[in-house]
């Protein structure tokens, strides 16, 4: 197994950072270069990354993202955004209508491009021995990010990435078996419930060991609860902010 594959398979999300160690500008530049070198739709390069280091700004963003203290504690917080502002300027320069933002396709394209870039950034950072944790919680209060980071129209924050030196590294959380997620030729829906039952036991044991028995919750209950009502603040705030940023899809 080569080093890259080993790195990918050994990912951990870090939430405990050494507050005494900084991350250099050259390291961040390398991470961003790696992130933005990846494939993207029509070479439109629909991603921008905002680097945030100023403590006061990080504190506000940490609160807006759901009081995630590691945003404050780590030296760098990267905000990955869908960015169609440059495409809008390209349309103006060439005298064409800017129709893409009137369709859901813009959100699908932008989110896919952000996901590719974010994944590359994770690997680049981990290859340097840095710890990371992606932050989806910024979409709980995206308008705060829009205002504080001065995002123009057609730019929307999708995900953040905390970057720093890990103080402790958690055990790797078990994933669903490949039988569930790697389908061959066609999707097999019949096997999913049996696999979920087994995986629930795996996650419950993992959580119990990780928390000294304080938390024995399983995978399906957490997913079910979140998609019942846990996502509501995201939905309540994300959709209006997306529209306010100019994405007027029907």
């Amino acid at each position: 197994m080569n080093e890259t594959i080993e790195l990918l398979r050994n990912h951990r999300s870090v939430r405990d950072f050494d507050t005494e160690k900084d991350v250099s500008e050259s390291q961040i530049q390398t991470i961003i270069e790696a992130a933005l070198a990846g494939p993207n739709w029509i070479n439109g390069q629909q991603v921008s990354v905002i680097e945030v280091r100023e403590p006061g700004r990080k504190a506000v963003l940490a609160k807006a993202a759901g009081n995630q203290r590691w945003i404050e504690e780590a030296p760098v917080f990267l905000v990955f955004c869908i960015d169609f502002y440059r495409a809008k300027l390209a349309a103006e320069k060439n005298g064409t209508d800017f129709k893409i933002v009137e369709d859901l396709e813009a959100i699908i394209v932008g989110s896919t491009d952000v996901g590719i870039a974010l994944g590359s950034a994770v690997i680049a950072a981990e290859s340097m021995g840095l710890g990371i944790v992606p932050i989806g919680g910024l979409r709980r209060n995206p308008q705060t990010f829009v205002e504080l980071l001065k995002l123009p129209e057609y730019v929307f924050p999708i995900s953040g990435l905390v970057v720093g030196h890990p103080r402790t590294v958690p055990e790797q959380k078990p994933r669903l078996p490949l039988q569930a997620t790697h389908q061959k030729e066609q999707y097999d829906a019949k096997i999913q419930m049996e696999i979920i039952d087994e995986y629930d036991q795996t996650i419950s044991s993992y959580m119990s060991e990780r928390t000294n028995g304080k938390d024995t919750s399983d995978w399906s209950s957490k997913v079910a609860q979140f998609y019942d009502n846990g996502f509501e603040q995201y939905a309540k705030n994300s959709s209006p902010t997306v529209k306010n940023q100019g994405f007027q899809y029907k």
Side-chain angles (χ1 to χ4, degrees), residues 21-171:
K21 290 185 178 180
D22 198 6
V23 176
S24 70
E25 287 289 355
S26 63
Q27 285 177 306
I28 293 300
Q29 182 173 333
T30 298
I31 291 168
I32 300 301
E33 287 174 348
L36 299 183
N40 62 92
W41 198 54
I42 71 159
N43 195 35
Q45 302 174 70
Q46 287 88 202
V47 177
S48 284
V49 186
I50 314 297
E51 175 185 346
V52 183
R53 289 178 177 266
E54 198 279 313
R57 184 173 282 111
K58 284 196 299 171
V60 173
L61 298 181
K63 182 178 180 181
N67 296 312
Q68 300 196 52
R69 58 176 174 76
W70 31 88
I71 295 175
E72 290 186 74
E73 293 173 355
V76 181
F77 183 44
L78 303 176
V79 181
F80 285 72
C81 303
I82 291 175
D83 188 345
F84 279 87
Y85 180 70
R86 287 185 293 270
K88 174 249 195 181
L89 297 179
E92 290 178 352
K93 179 177 180 179
N94 290 276
T96 62
D97 291 334
F98 190 46
K99 296 180 179 179
I100 182 68
V101 293
E102 299 172 6
D103 194 276
L104 184 60
E105 186 71 8
I107 303 300
I108 295 173
V109 166
S111 297
T112 300
D113 283 0
V114 164
I116 292 170
L118 180 67
S120 296
V122 166
I123 299 308
E126 291 181 337
S127 75
M128 300 176 187
L130 298 170
I132 61 86
V133 58
I135 305 293
L138 53 74
R139 296 191 309 280
R140 292 168 61 93
N141 293 290
Q143 189 61 37
T144 299
F145 283 77
V146 168
E147 294 172 1
L148 198 62
L149 304 180
K150 298 185 177 180
L151 304 182
E153 60 182 346
Y154 310 123
V155 179
F156 181 79
I158 290 290
S159 186
L161 187 68
V162 174
V163 183
H165 292 270
R167 181 158 46 200
T168 60
V169 178
E171 290 296 317

Side-chain angles (χ1 to χ4, degrees), residues 176 180 187-200 219-220:
L176 281 160
Y187 194 98
D188 187 355
K190 296 177 182 179
I191 64 171
Q192 295 293 339
M193 186 56 76
E194 181 180 348
I195 293 174
I196 289 171
D197 289 341
E198 295 175 357
Y199 185 59
D200 273 347
W219 177 83
S220 68

